Amino acid sequence: NAEYMGMIVRRCFRTNEIVPGGGAIEMELSKILRAHARNIQGKQQLVINAFAKALEVIPRCLSENAGLDAVEVMNKLRQKHAQAADGKYIGVGTVSYTH
């Protein structure tokens, strides 16, 4: 709905806040958990990595439901979250329209 989109844009300008892209929060949490798991030994490391992988299901489903190549989108998301200082805001919609 165009009216709803306009309300979101107006709110962003009034409050100076950014709404993260779809799946951005889950990708950032996954990145942080995987980094934390590198410092842990044993079964706990496996559990943390499994939870991090489970969080990535959300952006993967968003990209598949949008008709995008999920593997390509997930690779781009991981890359952007690892490299960019403001990568925590990059989600499925943000990555899929940039080349």
Side-chain angles (χ1 to χ4, degrees):
N1 177 328
E3 182 181 349
Y4 180 69
M5 289 173 37
M7 289 172 31
I8 292 172
V9 171
R10 280 191 298 271
R11 183 172 185 266
C12 289
F13 281 115
R14 281 189 219 145
T15 62
N16 292 327
E17 295 177 348
I18 295 175
V19 177
I25 295 169
E26 291 81 3
M27 288 302 294
E28 189 67 15
L29 286 173
S30 177
K31 178 187 86 168
I32 292 167
L33 286 172
R34 288 179 193 272
H36 177 66
R38 289 187 199 108
N39 301 322
I40 296 176
Q41 301 283 325
K43 292 180 183 178
Q44 288 180 338
Q45 183 182 41
L46 297 174
V47 171
I48 293 170
N49 277 325
F51 187 73
K53 183 177 180 181
L55 286 171
E56 293 183 0
V57 168
I58 294 169
R60 179 179 299 280
C61 286
L62 287 172
S63 60
E64 287 174 354
N65 289 341
L68 304 170
D69 181 4
V71 173
E72 182 180 342
V73 170
M74 293 302 292
N75 285 335
K76 285 182 182 179
L77 280 173
R78 285 189 194 101
Q79 179 184 24
K80 296 286 186 180
H81 278 261
Q83 293 176 349
D86 61 346
K88 62 185 174 184
Y89 299 115
I90 298 173
V92 173
T94 312
V95 165
S96 60
Y97 299 114
T98 58
H99 298 289

